[in-house]
Each structure stands twice: as structure tokens, then as C-alpha cells.
Amino acid sequence: MTTLRLRQPAAALPSDRSFWLQDIGAGAVTDPLQGNERADVVIVGGGYTGLWTALRIRELAPETRVVVLEADLCGSGASGRNGGQVHSWFAELDQISTVVGLEEARQLCADTVASIAELKALQQNGTIDMDLRLDGWLWTASSIAQEGAWEHAVAMTAAVGENRFKPLTAEDIERRTGSSASYAGVVETNAGTVHPAKLAIGLRNLALARGVIIHERSPVLDFEPGRTCKVRTARGMVQAEKVVLAANAWLSALPELRRHLYVVDSQVIATAAVPELLDMIGWRDGTSICDSQSQVLYYQRTRKGRVVFGRGSGNVAFSGNFGASFNRSPEHGRDNVRELRRVYPALRDVPVEYDWAGPIDCVPEHVPVFDHLRGHPNIFYGMGFNGTGIAQTPIGGRILASLVLERKDRWSASGLVGIERRMSLPPEPFRYLGAKLVRSAVRRKNDVEIRNRRADKITNLLAGLKPGHRKK
């Protein structure tokens, strides 16, 4: 019987953890796996995808014994490292429709609106304190090259009868963000920000309360497929009829999935708390902001008055194999600090107290995919959220739950299910070398265009080869 191995997370020092995890003093509350257990379903990964899947399974089939194995702490991967931006999928309606067709794309986007309502209800009823603030998501331009980047998605959204976006003037943006760097854009009003680690820990606690068994500090070493699968950690094993792989970028260890998956990182910084200064420049609420660079800037003001400021770095992992630099860059967010000072000159002297990074599981279409491993109909996976997951992973959880429980419904029949029609990536070393070449061009193009200059023809040509590139 073939044994499949997963990569182990690079050990993260406490100082390498995200601000979010350090802010709440996150620690394990569940015991590591010791000895042998049996389950109906074992889920590998205790981030948003794994926890939502566990919750959906228990909702549909409360008698199902679900065990979650998390390598570190729940939320210690991408779920606790992101920028905390909450918005619907309507911004990606054009990309999603190329995968599933326009009608299902419209429905999936509407589902993410329902996910935001679900998050709001969980906070309002006291179930999860996640610092959710639905003060809007701003999609903006801060250079000539970025102008109108949203127009196609906005037009498509209007064409399917949805009115999700409202135009913004330069005055609107400066009034809401305290910055004049961006001067055009749109706002999705029912969107905003969240504290990612509080959400992850809240989902963990909710899953425990609903009967899910969770073992933290239990990295999966390998698993043996079969009618009854054997999932092994250093100190124990879980035998289960069904397995769900919800391990984000770590799924790149499996050659079958690595053909469709590439791993990049995003760098994030957090400033000291300066609420009075932010109030003075006019940035007072939980608005989330993005510009329209290919390596997008994303930022928010936290409840306590810190600025969390993130940007794609351009780093790519060879053969999907990433190490400690994907927890924290040796450059300690240097490019982010430079961009923060460009966008907010008033914050030039504010110290940066945290910097961290995190791997992102990307697929070429920039639309997640769900399926089972080839030849193993009882081993399921979901991957490729491409850094947009807070309102989207609740949908992934529904799809995976329906697949696991063999339900015949709209979730299991979704066009997001099925990897055979997705793009395959070149083999190594060609994919790594090509990715480095393209992402280097994207970086040069961004740096030139942000100063309202034009990149050279070769740079433009190479940058246009980026997967998921939107042509204007």
C-alpha cells in the first residue's frame, strides 16, 4: 500500500508568529494525539477550511465522529497570518465565471455574502468575538496604470442584478482612510475587517463545543490510503473511513496536487498603536483597503489603533517546498515599510513592532478547487483560495462536507469540484525559473507604475504571463 507523506511546517519562533497570534497569546488548548483513535472522518489542518468543514459535517450528520489534526495551533497557518480583510467574491466574479459559468458564479458570490452575514451573527450572538467591523472594503487605484481595474467585475456584477459596489471620489477615499495616495475606486459596503486569529480560535472553540475532537501540536507525518485510512503523527494514529486534506500550502508535498498548485508568500507588518494620530488624519473605523497592483497592497486599522499593512513579496517556493523564510523574511518587511510611508507620510516616525510572512496556496485560475485524490475516492481536499478566504472558506466547508457525506446537492455538484479541467503547471525546474522571471517582472512593473511611469516592453510582456492576470 502506498504511503503518502506531507511536509512538516518550518518551526516558528514565538517572535515569528503573526501579530494576530501574539496579540491574543494563542496557545494550544487541546492535547496532542497520543496512541490510536478511530473516527468517521479525519481532517488534516486546523485552519479556516478544516474547521468550517468539521462544523458543516456535524451540522449535516451530528452523529459523525470528526477528528481534526493540527500541526501547530489552530489558525497558525494562513488563517492566522492574513490581513484580516472580509469581502465577498463579487470582486472575482469574472474569474470564477470562467471556471463554473456565470450563473453558478453569481450564486457562489451571493453565498459569500451569506457567509459575511453568518460571521456577523456569530459575533452578535456572542459565539465568537472576532472584532468584525463591516465598515466597507475599498478597491482603489493609486496610479494611472491601476485606474479602472475594478470596472469589468463591477459591470459583470451589475449585469447579474447585484448592486454591490459604489463609486468613490478622491475626496471620499481620503476622508475614509486618511490618505491621498489612492484617488479613485469603488467600495463594497457590506464588507470590512476581522481579527484573523480571534476568528480561528473562535471556530476551534465552537467546533469543540459541537463535538469535534481536535488535537493540536500533532503534525501529520504520513497517511496510508485504503478503505480505512491510517493517518499517522509522531505519537499516534487515527484510522478513519474518510480523510479531508485542508492543509493549505502544505498540500504541495503531494505530486498529484503540486501539478496544479504553486506557493508564494505575502509579507505583513503591524505598527505601534497610534489611535490618536489615526483619528487626527481621519482614519477612524474598520474599513479594509486594497490598491490594484498585481502584488496588491492591503491594509486596515485595528480596533486598538495599529496599522496592519501587507503586500505580496514575489517569493515563490521551489517545488512547493518552503522554509522558515515563509514565516518571517530576513528583510523584516522592508518593502512594506517603504510602501507604508508612501501611502501614509504622517506615519513615517511610527515604529513597526511586528513583521511576519506566510505561504499562500495558489492555483493558476485564482479560484479554489475541490476533489478527491486520484484512485482514492475517500480522500478529499480543498486548495487554492489564493489569499482570499475569510468569507470563502465557509463555502469550501460546505462543498467538502457534501463530498465527504456523499450528498447529492448543489455543493457536491459545484463546478469548483474537479481538478481534471484545471490548468497544469510546468515541471520543475522550469516552473520555478519561469515563476521567478515573471514575478520579478511584476515587481519591476509595480515599482515603475506606482511612480506613473511606463515599464519597458519586455517587463510588460513577462508580467502579463502571471497566472490569473487581468488584462484591462
Side-chain angles (χ1 to χ4, degrees), residues 284-299:
R284 297 185 175 88
D285 63 17
T287 297
S288 59
I289 307 108
C290 287
D291 76 358
S292 302
Q293 297 182 55
S294 294
Q295 290 174 322
V296 63
L297 293 180
Y298 51 92
Y299 43 105

Side-chain angles (χ1 to χ4, degrees), residues 28-52:
V29 299
T30 62
D31 294 329
L33 178 66
Q34 300 271 6
N36 295 340
E37 293 187 12
R38 290 197 65 90
D40 298 309
V41 182
V42 60
I43 298 174
V44 180
Y48 296 151
T49 301
L51 293 171
W52 277 116

Side-chain angles (χ1 to χ4, degrees), residues 336-357:
N336 290 32
V337 173
R338 181 197 70 197
E339 284 293 277
L340 171 66
R341 290 170 178 170
R342 178 184 65 82
V343 177
Y344 285 101
L347 305 183
R348 177 170 295 277
D349 297 325
V350 175
V352 171
E353 293 189 343
Y354 299 86
D355 67 271
W356 70 97

Side-chain angles (χ1 to χ4, degrees), residues 119-334:
L119 293 173
K120 182 178 179 181
L122 287 170
Q123 177 160 287
Q124 287 184 333
N125 65 26
T127 302
I128 301 178
D129 174 16
M130 65 185 85
D131 288 356
L132 178 67
R133 295 171 293 166
L134 297 179
D135 295 321
W137 171 63
L138 276 61
W139 183 2
T140 71
S142 55
S143 70
I144 293 171
Q146 298 176 30
E147 292 175 7
W150 49 85
E151 288 179 352
H152 185 47
V154 170
M156 287 188 70
T157 300
V160 298
E162 299 284 347
N163 182 26
R164 298 294 304 172
F165 301 101
K166 299 184 184 303
L168 293 169
T169 65
E171 293 75 18
D172 294 331
I173 296 170
E174 185 168 7
R175 175 178 53 81
R176 298 187 62 160
T177 69
S179 171
S180 60
S182 290
Y183 56 86
V186 293
V187 58
E188 182 178 20
T189 54
N190 185 39
T193 53
V194 75
H195 190 303
K198 286 187 177 183
L199 173 57
I201 297 305
L203 289 172
R204 176 193 67 185
N205 295 341
L206 180 59
L208 290 169
R210 294 186 178 175
V212 176
I213 300 158
I214 300 175
H215 294 291
E216 295 172 290
R217 308 282 198 196
S218 300
V220 171
L221 303 177
D222 58 47
F223 56 99
E224 185 179 305
R227 293 188 65 178
T228 298
C229 299
K230 298 176 181 179
V231 183
R232 298 184 182 89
T233 70
R235 299 180 181 179
M237 178 176 68
V238 180
Q239 297 185 67
E241 285 68 42
K242 306 282 181 66
V243 175
V244 175
L245 303 175
N248 189 263
W250 285 269
L251 295 182
S252 64
L254 302 177
E256 175 182 338
L257 302 186
R258 192 164 62 242
R259 294 173 52 238
H260 304 273
L261 177 68
Y262 63 100
V263 179
V264 301
D265 78 345
S266 196
Q267 308 282 339
V268 195
I269 59 174
T271 70
V274 286
E276 297 85 1
L277 177 55
L278 298 183
D279 287 346
M280 184 181 72
I281 65 174
W283 196 8
R284 297 185 175 88
D285 63 17
T287 297
S288 59
I289 307 108
C290 287
D291 76 358
S292 302
Q293 297 182 55
S294 294
Q295 290 174 322
V296 63
L297 293 180
Y298 51 92
Y299 43 105
Q300 67 148 294
R301 171 193 168 147
T302 71
R303 277 195 183 278
K304 295 181 180 179
R306 297 181 187 272
V307 176
V308 173
F309 199 92
R311 188 189 192 200
S313 72
N315 293 334
V316 61
F318 179 79
S319 197
N321 191 6
F322 48 94
S325 66
F326 275 65
N327 288 328
R328 192 180 192 194
S329 167
E331 297 180 351
H332 298 292
R334 182 180 62 197

